[in-house]
Amino acid sequence: AFALEASHNENAVDDLAYHWWASGDRAKALQYGERAGDVALKLFEHGGAIAAYERTLALLDPAGRDAARVNEKIGTSYYRAGLMDRAIEHYALAWDFFRDTRDDPSYIFRLTRNMCGALYNDGRAPDALAFWTEALKVVVACGDARVADLARISYGAYLIDDGQVDQTLAILHSVDEGRLAD
């Protein structure tokens, strides 16, 4: 098993994840399940990534941080497969947890950006703008000025696409150019 565990072969990692899951070794199943999903996602095997992540998700406390993180990965897999409605569903589950956290501003920004992209691509531009309005407050509250500025710039792109020039200017004026140069 050691040689198989050391392998970076996509199928071997997924096979290990499944066998650890079937044997009841929760710790190994979680480790290899998420890893199998990550490998499949990198190889654009969206269905394989979703299957591996969902198998992993079944072992987690649905209200916990790890489940929220895996839901974000499932959302990204669906997003990349072009299934925006399913991506939104899983991003929303992740957001339900992370909206109340302040310890990882980059992650929260990425989740926000992905959720808004899925909403926008699903033809729900007003919902994307509403989500940005809510999520920007969370990102800013994290206290990382650089990430907050990146979030403001991204939000500004949605505002300008919606024709909201004055609001876009107000957002852009709130960005500290010095921090972005760092």
Side-chain angles (χ1 to χ4, degrees), residues 57 62-64 67-76 78-79 83-100 107 110-116 118-119 124 127 131 134-135:
L57 188 60
R69 191 176 38 74
V70 171
N71 269 307
E72 185 271 333
K73 289 182 176 194
I74 294 170
T76 298
Y78 278 121
Y79 185 97
L83 300 168
M84 296 306 134
D85 57 334
R86 296 300 309 268
I88 293 164
E89 175 186 326
H90 286 277
Y91 286 145
L93 291 170
W95 181 251
D96 284 345
F97 178 87
F98 284 105
R99 75 170 9 121
D100 295 323
Y107 183 86
R110 185 177 79 228
L111 174 59
T112 299
R113 186 189 62 216
N114 290 349
M115 174 67 142
C116 290
L119 286 165
R124 298 167 52 186
D127 293 338
F131 189 82
E134 174 191 349

Side-chain angles (χ1 to χ4, degrees), residues 156-172:
Y158 281 81
L159 288 169
I160 198 68
D161 283 349
D162 195 49
Q164 298 184 36
V165 176
D166 291 339
Q167 294 88 335
T168 303
L169 288 173
I171 288 290
L172 295 179

